[in-house]
Amino acid sequence: MTDPVEFRRDVGLFATGIAVITCTDPETSCTDVGYIVHGATVNSFTSVSLKPPTVMVSLNTGRAHQFITSHRFFGASVLTAAQSNVSNHFARSSDSLIKPEFIVRHRVPTLMSCLAWFECEVTSQLDVADHTIFVARVLASGRESGSPLIFWGSEYHCGITPN
Ligand SMILES: Cc1cc2nc3c(=O)[nH]c(=O)nc-3n(C[C@H](O)[C@H](O)[C@H](O)COP(=O)(O)OP(=O)(O)OC[C@H]3O[C@@H](n4cnc5c(N)ncnc54)[C@H](O)[C@@H]3O)c2cc1C
């Protein structure tokens, strides 16, 4: 049986990008003035299929899980190499000094500044151990130029060099 601490070290060698999952508090709507956006940092965001464009994210119990389960929509913003502070901001419940800005391009808020953004509608979800895998259709997406924030070996790494 693999020890969870050892497993974390082993699986942490699978390099990923980092995304911030955004969702709205079910008590408010994007059309309300002053609607509340909630964000959570993840590295489990990945593509599932191209036709139709489908993604998935695995979320632990928490507000993002609760809000997406009720609303069925979420945004995903892929972070740039310069946004490790944004990743930390949305990974902790304590207040940080940064105030990230959001934009609703179509119907779901995403980060105003990011490397790529996706507006998603949940099509199915699967509870696995203490997480839920949300599978979602991509309604709209876009990208900016820049290099990604990489997560590898439990640390952030900036940028990539072509092999
Ligand atoms: C690089 C990186 C990658 C990450 N990748 C992921 C990822 O892929 N998936 C993921 O789920 N998290 C991931 N995290 C952790 C995640 O960013 C934080 O846990 C964040 O606070 C989650 O926000 P939230 O809205 O889901 O939870 P919050 O509501 O902000 O709660 C924070 C944590 O408290 C606990 N909690 C809250 N409410 C309950 C409850 N009712 N019952 C039990 N526990 C509760 C959960 O552990 C939850 O994650 C990652 C963090 C980092 C730094």
Side-chain angles (χ1 to χ4, degrees), residues 18 38 40-44 58-64 90-91 131 151:
I18 297 187
H38 177 74
T41 297
V42 301
N43 70 335
S44 60
S58 174
L59 288 176
N60 202 340
T61 315
R63 282 171 293 171
F90 288 111
H131 280 60
F151 195 61

Side-chain angles (χ1 to χ4, degrees), residues 102-119:
F102 304 98
I103 181 171
V104 180
R105 293 173 174 93
H106 299 279
R107 64 170 299 166
V108 187
T110 49
L111 283 174
M112 180 92 83
S113 174
C114 59
L115 190 57
W117 56 268
F118 303 84
E119 295 190 12

Side-chain angles (χ1 to χ4, degrees), residues 51-159:
K51 290 181 187 174
T54 304
V55 293
M56 54 149 278
V57 63
S58 174
L59 288 176
N60 202 340
T61 315
R63 282 171 293 171
H65 183 292
Q66 181 195 327
F67 294 174
I68 293 169
T69 299
S70 330
H71 252 190
R72 315 303 294 166
F73 292 93
F74 66 86
S77 305
V78 177
L79 299 186
T80 71
Q83 290 180 302
S84 57
N85 59 342
V86 178
S87 174
N88 287 334
H89 176 85
F90 288 111
R92 295 183 188 139
S93 45
S94 60
D95 285 342
S96 78
L97 293 176
I98 64 163
K99 297 256 180 265
E101 291 186 83
F102 304 98
I103 181 171
V104 180
R105 293 173 174 93
H106 299 279
R107 64 170 299 166
V108 187
T110 49
L111 283 174
M112 180 92 83
S113 174
C114 59
L115 190 57
W117 56 268
F118 303 84
E119 295 190 12
C120 310
E121 178 175 12
V122 174
T123 52
S124 59
Q125 66 185 75
L126 175 68
D127 294 335
V128 181
D130 56 359
H131 280 60
T132 298
I133 297 169
F134 293 91
V135 177
R137 178 83 59 93
V138 176
L139 305 174
S141 65
R143 61 185 180 276
E144 305 289 337
S145 58
S147 52
L149 185 62
I150 304 288
F151 195 61
W152 182 76
S154 300
E155 290 179 343
Y156 297 123
H157 299 264
C158 296

